[in-house]
Amino acid sequence: MSNKQATYSISGMSCVNCAARIDKTLNETAGVARAAVNFAMGELRVDFDETVVSAARIEQVVTGLGYGIRSAVRAESEADIQRELKAQFYWFVFALALSLPIMATMAMHDNRAVGWLNLVLAAIVQFSAGLTFYRGAWYAVRSGSANMDVLVALGTTAAFGYSLIAFLAGWHGGVFFETSAMLIAFIRLGKYLEARARGAASRALQALLNLQPKRARLLVDGSEVDVAAEAVKAGDLLLVRAGEAFPVDGEIVAGESSVDEALVTGESLPVSKLSGDRVIGATINLTGALQIKATGVGEDTVLARIVRLVQDAQSDKAPIQRFADRVSAWFVPVVLLLAVATFCGWYFLSSHGFIFAFKLAIAVVVIACPCAMGLATPTAIMVGSGIGLSAGILVRRGSVLEHLSGINLVLLDKTGTLTEGRPALVSHIATAGVTELLFLEQLTAASSNSNHPLAVAAVAAATKRGIAVGAMENSEERSGFGIICSYKGVRLISGSRRLLEESGVACNALGDQADTLAREGKSLVWLAADGVLAGVAAFADPLKAGSAAAVALLQSMGVRCIMITGDHAAVAATVAGELALDGFEAQVLPERKQQVVSEYRAKGFVVAMVGDGINDAPALAAADVGIAIGSGTDVAKETGDIILVRNDLLDVVRVIRLGRATLAKVKQNLFWALFYNVVGIPVAAGALYPAFGITLLPEYAGLAMALSSVSVVTNSLLLKRVKL
C-alpha cells in the first residue's frame, strides 16, 4: 500500500451541501482513505492509496461533480483572494442595481413600456447573476441530490417564468419580476460575505506560517553561513543570537538564555533555557546567544503541526445546515410533484381547461418559493450579529449563533483571557532595617536598563508610586538569572535566589515566606545590597476586571467553566481558586488543548473555547464555538467564530444570551415559513375550490409569499428588544 496525502483548492461551491457531496463521493471512491473539504478555506485534503487510485482520477471525480479543482502547491495569494472578492462584490452590485428600478416600478406593470423595461432588466439578472444557480442546480440534480442552488433556481424561475407569461399574455396583476431579481441580489450578497470569510482565513494561516524566520545562521566548521530556513536539515548546527526567532525546532548544545514561548504555550513569563533544553521554531531568544541542533524542520516543526491542527479541526467540524438545505432533499421534488399533480388533476379530471390548471400549478410553485425559508435564518442572524456588534461582539460566522444556544461548557485559556497577560508586582517583603521605599528604589534601579518582563513590571510599579531613580553603573546582566550593578555607591544584585547565593548572599531569612509565595504560583525576584539580603519581590499575572463576575454568571446560566493553560500547575491552581472554577488543566500544549475539547465533546458537552493566542487556535477551531479575545493574535481571531472586541470576558455571557435569543427567533421564523407552505400549498392547489369556489391566483400566491417574507423579517427585528 502506497499512502499519499494531497491538498487541492476547490472552486464553485455554493453551500456546505456542496462540500458534503464532494466528501461523500470521494470517500466512496476506491483507494481513498479519507477526504475532507474545508468549505471556509475552499480546500480539499485527501489521503489515498496511489496503487489503487491516481491523483488524476481524484481530480476527475471532483470536476465531474461540477466543481473546479487545482493542486494547492502554494497558499492562496492575496491577489487571488482580492480577485474573488471583487468578482462576488461586482455581481452583487450589478444584480442590485438592476433590481432597484424594478422594485420602484412594481405597481406600474400595466404600463407596457415600463413592463418591457422590467422584463429586460429581470431577464438580464436572471441569466447573468443568476446563471451560477442554474449551473449548481444542474450538477446537484445530475448527482442525485438537492442544494440551495436547486431551491433558488426553482423559485426564481417560477417567479420570472410566470411573470413573463403573465406580461406577454396581458395578465398585469400577475407580474412580479422584482421577486426573482431581488432574491438573486440577496443571495449574491451572501456569496460575497462568504468569500470575505474565506479570504480572511487564508490570510490568517499564511500569516502564521510567516512567523517562521525565512533565514537561518548555519555553523559549518566554526564558520557562520547564512542559508534559507527550508534548507536546514535535522542534525544541522545553528546559531541564534539574542532578539532573534528560532528558525526551526531544536535542542540547545551551547549557551544559556531566556526564551519567550508565549507563541506556543501562552505563558506570559520568559523561560530559562540551558544546554540540553528544547526550543521551538518561531519562539524568541531574548538574552544570550545559543547554539542549537535542528531536530524539527519543515512540516515537522511545532508551528507546522499547529497549522495542520487548525486545518483539520475546521474540516472535521460538522457544518451548520440551513433548514432549507436540510429539507431540500425532499422539499423540492415534493413541490414539483404537487405542482404536476395539481395541473394533471384539474386538466384531466375537470372541465376547467389548460389555463385554469396551469395557473393553479404555477401558484403551487410560487407559494412554495423558498424566499421565507431562505430568509428565516439569515435575517435573524443579521439582526443578532448587528446587536452583537453594537455590544462589542464581532460574529465572524453568523451561523454559529445557532450553536451558542446549546453551550453548557466553556473552556477558558488563562493568559490574556482570564488574566491581563503581563506580569505585575503584587507584593514584596523587605528585611529588617530596609524601608519599603528604599527596597522599591533599589529594585527599580537594578531593573531600569533591562527589557525582561519582570524588570519592566518592577519599573512600572515604581513609576506608579512616584519613585524616581538615578543612573546605575557597571551593569552586568546574567542571562536567565538577573542583574549585578552599582547604584549610589551600593553594589546591587537582583534576580534569582541561585544568583544571590552564588554571590555569597544568605537568603534563608526569607526562605519560608518566599516558599509560600512560590507555591501560590508567583515569580520571585530577590534583591541584595552590598552582599546583604534586602528583600524579595513577588510578581504575578493579575486577573482581568470582570473575570470573576463572568465566571459566576456563566455558572448561574448552567454553564460549567474549565480553565486549560500552558502555565504551571501552582499558578493555575491559584487562579482557579480565586475564580471558583469548576476545574482546570495545567501545562497544556496546543495538541493537548485540542484533545481536551474533543474529549468534552465526546462526553456530550456543547463546548465553547475562549482564547487569545496562536496556541489556542487548534482548540478554537475544534470547539463547537470558538471565541477569540480581541487583543489576541490574528490567527486566534481568524480561527475563532466570534471575537470579543472589548476584551471583556463578560461578553462571553452576553454572546451566549444572544445566541439563545437568536435561535428562538430562527425557530419562530421557520415555523411561519412552513406555516405559509402547509396552509398555502393546498389552497393554491385548489383544495377549497370544490366546496367554496375559492382559488388562489398566482398573483395572490406571490402576495402570500411576500407576506411570509415580511413576517419573517419583522419577527427577526423583534430581536432588538433583547437585553444582553
Side-chain angles (χ1 to χ4, degrees):
M1 182 174 180
S2 178
N3 292 323
K4 183 178 179 180
Q5 184 179 85
T7 304
Y8 298 94
S9 292
I10 304 296
S11 59
M13 294 188 293
S14 64
C15 68
V16 289
N17 267 14
C18 298
R21 188 159 67 254
I22 297 172
D23 275 350
K24 182 176 182 294
T25 305
L26 283 177
N27 282 311
E28 292 174 351
T29 302
V32 174
R34 176 180 177 269
V37 177
N38 184 332
F39 177 67
M41 299 286 290
E43 184 178 87
L44 164 67
R45 302 182 73 187
V46 188
D47 295 324
F48 62 99
D49 183 352
E50 286 185 295
T51 63
V52 179
V53 62
S54 65
R57 174 56 184 159
I58 291 172
E59 294 178 13
Q60 185 182 14
V61 170
V62 175
T63 54
L65 292 174
Y67 306 101
I69 180 172
R70 64 178 176 82
S71 179
V73 295
R74 60 176 177 83
E76 191 174 15
S77 69
E78 184 67 21
D80 293 333
I81 295 170
Q82 291 301 322
R83 192 178 300 113
E84 182 183 4
L85 273 176
K86 286 181 180 179
Q88 296 294 354
F89 179 72
Y90 290 153
W91 273 122
F92 162 63
V93 172
F94 174 78
L96 184 64
L98 269 62
S99 301
L100 289 177
I102 306 176
M103 287 290 295
T105 58
M106 57 186 294
M108 301 170 59
H109 290 306
D110 53 340
N111 183 310
R112 297 301 287 181
V114 171
W116 278 109
L117 174 63
N118 289 349
L119 188 158
V120 170
L121 292 176
I124 293 173
V125 173
Q126 189 77 25
F127 301 108
S128 59
L131 189 61
T132 184
F133 306 119
Y134 285 107
R135 291 197 194 99
W138 163 247
Y139 283 112
V141 172
R142 194 180 69 172
S143 63
S145 63
N147 60 5
M148 201 65 189
D149 284 337
V150 174
L151 295 174
V152 173
L154 178 65
T156 58
T157 301
F160 176 80
Y162 178 74
S163 296
L164 176 63
I165 294 171
F167 176 73
L168 295 178
W171 310 334
H172 303 302
V175 177
F176 39 89
F177 288 119
E178 69 284 346
T179 299
S180 60
M182 287 302 295
L183 184 57
I184 290 171
F186 176 80
I187 296 173
R188 275 293 182 178
L189 173 61
K191 282 186 166 289
Y192 166 67
L193 296 176
E194 287 176 4
R196 282 188 60 184
R198 286 197 298 272
S202 297
R203 283 193 294 270
L205 283 181
Q206 184 59 46
L208 180 52
L209 290 170
N210 288 339
L211 291 173
Q212 202 95 27
K214 299 293 186 282
R215 310 294 298 178
R217 194 176 290 108
L218 188 65
L219 292 177
V220 181
D221 298 327
S223 300
E224 298 178 18
V225 180
D226 186 66
V227 299
E230 57 263 28
V232 176
K233 299 176 182 178
D236 284 348
L237 192 63
L238 305 174
L239 176 65
V240 182
R241 294 196 172 97
E244 296 179 342
F246 294 100
V248 296
D249 294 356
E251 179 182 330
I252 299 174
V253 296
E256 298 179 358
S257 184
S258 293
V259 176
D260 181 356
E261 292 188 336
L263 173 75
V264 175
T265 66
E267 188 172 349
S268 57
L269 299 176
V271 179
S272 296
K273 296 286 185 178
L274 305 172
S275 180
D277 290 339
R278 292 189 174 274
V279 293
I280 300 170
T283 59
I284 300 171
N285 180 20
L286 293 176
T287 50
L290 295 174
Q291 291 183 20
I292 68 169
K293 181 178 70 174
T295 57
V297 299
E299 291 298 310
D300 295 326
T301 63
V302 170
L303 193 63
R305 290 201 299 272
I306 291 176
V307 172
R308 288 199 300 273
L309 285 171
V310 173
Q311 292 173 329
D312 289 343
Q314 288 182 338
S315 296
D316 292 339
K317 184 185 293 185
I320 300 173
Q321 298 285 350
R322 291 283 188 266
F323 184 82
D325 280 336
R326 290 199 298 267
V327 304
S328 62
W330 57 265
F331 180 76
V332 175
V334 166
V335 169
L336 287 174
L337 286 174
L338 287 174
V340 171
T342 298
F343 175 81
C344 292
W346 286 107
Y347 182 67
F348 293 109
L349 303 179
S350 77
S351 59
H352 292 285
F354 175 82
I355 295 298
F356 182 86
F358 178 74
K359 290 174 71 174
L360 290 185
I362 289 295
V364 169
V365 175
V366 170
I367 203 167
C369 176
C371 291
M373 279 200 296
L375 289 169
T377 300
T379 52
I381 286 175
M382 286 170 62
V383 175
S385 299
I387 294 170
L389 188 60
S390 64
I393 301 166
L394 179 60
V395 181
R396 291 190 61 252
R397 297 177 178 90
S399 57
V400 81
L401 287 171
E402 183 177 341
H403 270 328
L404 278 167
S405 64
I407 295 296
N408 53 19
L409 175 72
V410 173
L411 295 176
L412 297 153
D413 173 51
K414 180 186 76 69
T415 307
T417 301
L418 291 170
T419 66
E420 293 289 349
R422 58 182 180 273
L425 179 62
V426 293
S427 64
H428 55 274
I429 305 169
T431 55
V434 179
T435 66
E436 179 185 13
L437 290 179
L438 177 60
F439 174 80
L440 290 175
E441 181 184 354
Q442 291 179 335
L443 177 67
T444 304
S447 305
S448 58
N449 287 347
S450 174
N451 61 359
H452 191 284
L454 296 185
V456 172
V459 173
T463 302
K464 191 174 181 180
R465 293 283 299 272
I467 298 173
V469 298
M472 63 175 179
E473 300 173 343
N474 304 319
S475 176
E476 176 189 355
E477 186 164 355
R478 299 284 183 86
S479 178
F481 295 98
I483 299 167
I484 299 174
C485 66
S486 295
Y487 175 70
K488 293 184 178 180
V490 178
R491 185 172 181 267
L492 299 177
I493 304 175
S494 174
S496 67
R497 181 171 181 170
R498 174 181 168 184
L499 176 62
L500 269 68
E501 289 179 340
E502 287 180 352
S503 302
V505 179
C507 299
N508 293 335
L510 298 179
D512 291 342
Q513 293 162 292
D515 288 344
T516 300
L517 292 171
R519 283 194 296 271
E520 293 173 354
K522 295 180 172 63
S523 299
L524 305 182
V525 174
W526 297 75
L527 179 69
D530 282 338
V532 178
L533 181 65
V536 62
F539 296 82
D541 186 3
L543 291 173
K544 283 184 177 179
S547 289
V551 169
L553 284 170
L554 286 169
Q555 291 170 333
S556 71
M557 295 164 64
V559 179
R560 295 185 65 192
C561 297
I562 307 290
M563 180 176 67
I564 50 177
T565 176
D567 219 334
H568 298 294
V571 178
T574 299
V575 173
E578 291 176 359
L579 294 175
L581 295 171
D582 296 298
F584 71 90
E585 188 166 338
Q587 293 174 288
V588 177
L589 291 177
E591 293 92 339
R592 176 58 189 156
K593 282 192 176 185
Q594 186 191 24
Q595 289 172 4
V596 172
V597 172
S598 300
E599 288 167 5
Y600 277 112
R601 292 187 69 195
K603 293 176 183 177
F605 287 99
V606 182
V607 180
M609 172 68 196
V610 186
D612 71 326
I614 290 174
N615 59 303
D616 300 316
L620 287 169
D624 293 289
V625 180
I627 303 176
I629 301 297
S631 60
T633 63
D634 288 340
V635 174
K637 288 186 286 188
E638 293 301 346
T639 305
D641 303 301
I642 293 169
I643 300 172
L644 306 183
V645 178
R646 300 186 302 193
N647 306 322
D648 185 352
L649 204 61
L650 284 168
D651 283 341
V652 176
V653 178
R654 297 183 181 103
V655 81
I656 291 177
R657 287 175 179 164
L658 179 61
R660 292 178 178 180
T662 301
L663 181 61
K665 286 301 176 187
V666 169
K667 289 180 177 178
Q668 292 168 15
N669 288 345
L670 290 173
F671 167 79
W672 286 112
L674 283 173
F675 175 81
Y676 276 98
N677 280 323
V678 170
V679 174
I681 288 178
V683 174
L688 299 180
Y689 186 77
F692 303 102
I694 296 175
T695 61
L696 188 63
L697 296 176
E699 51 266 37
Y700 296 131
L703 178 61
M705 178 187 65
L707 288 174
S708 69
S709 299
V710 169
S711 68
V712 163
V713 174
T714 303
N715 190 49
S716 297
L717 291 173
L718 294 177
L719 259 178
K720 293 183 177 180
R721 297 181 178 180
V722 174
K723 293 184 179 180
L724 302 181

